[in-house]
Structures are given as structure tokens and as C-alpha cells.
Amino acid sequence: MEKYFIVVPCYNEEEVLPETMKRLRDKLTSLMDRGIASPASRILFVDDGSADSTWKLIKDAHGRDNIFTGLSLDRNRGHQTALTEGLMAARDERAVAISIDADLQDDVSAIDAMAEKREHGAHIVCGVRASRETDTFLKRTTARAYYRIMRMFGSSLIYDHADFRLMGPEALDALALYHGDDLFLRGLITRLGFECETVSYDRAERFAGESKYTIKKMLKLAAKGMASGRMKPMSVPREPYTHTREALGF
């Protein structure tokens, strides 16, 4: 039985967070009841310098139930840095990390299939969208072009995979050798020396609130993707909690 950390980066998510907490608690409790996840497993929210009550909601939830825990970053540093901070905390605890966004567009029930693959020895399991039927024609077209361009620049991406994935402690160890802020994680996971298995799921509409990915942020993500193909691992792992201002107990 392994320790699991569900890692959830958050930025101004007060509208959706109560429902996210409920669904993720139900799922992690189910994994515990089935003997897949140990009782020491946690749901780790990483507050990326939110301006609303996101961090208060996380602290209040932790006070009611220690299955919830959290990190608060020193300022808004971006989705990928917040996610990396949470993954490195999971690595420090030798936990299996499952990363998922707070907006509930990723199917929480797909975590079962990820955990099953982990039980059969998988080190990395990526959630992959079953289709883009809900996208506009423009969004589908630009998404396909984006993946083609990233591959041209040496970034080996898994098509229709974002940041919904499982990573075992060994994969997290390999990721820790990549230093720097705002890493392009989906471009690095295929370079860690482990097979990336996949789980297909249907992506839903955002449950509440607004998307934080502006056109400017998407272009910045594309630029990071191009640079990630040239990144080299270091010989010494990065330190956890590099940008954490406050941490709740695990």
C-alpha cells in the first residue's frame, strides 16, 4: 500500500474549491478503503498567490480534516511552478503524486485507472482527452498545430495530454534533477527514462469560475515548450519548498 498525494495547483479558485474538495476527498477515501492508498495519503492544494479566499478555504479544510493539506507560495509564480512545488513536496514524502487542476474539467474517476496501472508497475500515467468535440473548430486547429510545432522544436509531447497525470516516486526523483522555475512539465515527462502510459477520459466544462489561461499565457507556455527540448538534467536534485511561504502539516 503506497502513500498518495493528489496535487492541485490553485489560483483564485474560491468558486470551485468546495466542490473540488468534496470530489477529491470521495475519490481518495475510496482508494484508501480499497487498500490502494495508505491512510497517510493527502490532497495537497498549492495556492499560487491567489488574491481571493482560496488559501483561507484550504486552511479551513485542513483544520476540519487532515486529509486536506496545502502550500502557499510567496507570490503568484504561475501554474507550472505551483505544480512543481507540489510534486517536489510529494517526492519529499516518497508518495505517488497525481496532479489535477482545480477546475474539475479533468475526470476524477480516471484516477482509478491510473492507480490500477500503478499497481501493475507504471511509473508515469498520463490522462489523455478522448476527443475535442466540445472545442471550437479554431481551438481544435490551433491545438493540432501547437503539438506539431512543439515536436519540431524537440519537445516530445503526448497529444491531448496536459497536466493530469500520475507519477511514482522514482519518476519524481528524475524530475527533481531539472532545475529552474516555470518548467514545462508535459515536455519533460517523456524524457525521464520511464514509459509514459495513458488513460483516456472525457474532459468536462469548467465547474465554476473562469479559465486562468489567457492568450498571453498560452503563448508563454508555447515558448517554454520550445526551450524544454534543450534542458539538461543536473546531478543534484532540486530542493523542495523553494517558493513556499507557508506549509500546512502533512
Side-chain angles (χ1 to χ4, degrees), residues 64-81:
R64 294 190 304 269
D65 186 344
N66 66 4
I67 197 172
F68 299 113
T69 189
L71 304 175
S72 175
L73 302 194
D74 52 5
R75 62 177 175 83
N76 177 237
R77 291 185 172 273
H79 178 274
Q80 297 290 280
T81 296

Side-chain angles (χ1 to χ4, degrees), residues 85-233:
E85 197 84 348
L87 293 177
M88 292 300 100
R91 173 183 177 266
D92 203 44
E93 295 290 317
R94 306 314 296 162
V96 175
I98 297 177
S99 56
I100 186 170
D101 285 345
D103 58 18
L104 295 175
Q105 288 189 273
D106 297 324
D107 185 2
V108 173
S109 66
I111 290 174
D112 290 326
M114 292 181 176
E116 182 178 352
K117 286 181 178 287
R118 172 63 186 172
E119 287 196 298
H120 286 87
H123 293 284
I124 301 175
V125 185
C126 299
V128 176
R129 292 178 59 166
S131 73
R132 285 187 171 267
E133 291 181 1
T134 58
D135 287 351
T136 63
F137 172 77
L138 178 61
K139 191 169 183 179
R140 286 197 301 270
T141 303
T142 54
R144 291 182 185 125
Y146 171 79
Y147 283 98
R148 285 197 296 269
I149 291 170
M150 289 300 99
R151 285 171 179 166
M152 285 173 55
F153 281 91
S155 233
S156 179
L157 303 183
I158 298 172
Y159 187 70
D160 276 346
H161 166 66
D163 288 302
F164 184 28
R165 73 178 71 90
L166 175 150
M167 298 184 73
E170 303 86 353
L172 293 174
D173 286 341
L175 179 63
L177 297 177
Y178 287 88
H179 292 226
D181 294 343
D182 226 14
L183 299 177
F184 185 64
L185 295 172
R186 70 191 76 171
L188 290 177
I189 59 163
T190 56
R191 302 172 55 199
L192 300 181
F194 300 98
E195 179 184 356
C196 294
E197 301 191 30
T198 61
V199 165
S200 179
Y201 71 98
D202 292 318
R203 189 165 167 85
E205 297 292 328
R206 168 178 266 274
F207 181 81
E210 297 180 355
S211 173
K212 309 305 184 297
Y213 267 104
T214 62
I215 294 295
K216 181 178 179 180
K217 287 183 178 180
M218 292 179 72
L219 290 173
K220 183 181 177 183
L221 191 67
K224 285 190 297 182
M226 295 175 189
S228 73
R230 300 188 295 272
M231 286 193 73
K232 302 295 183 185

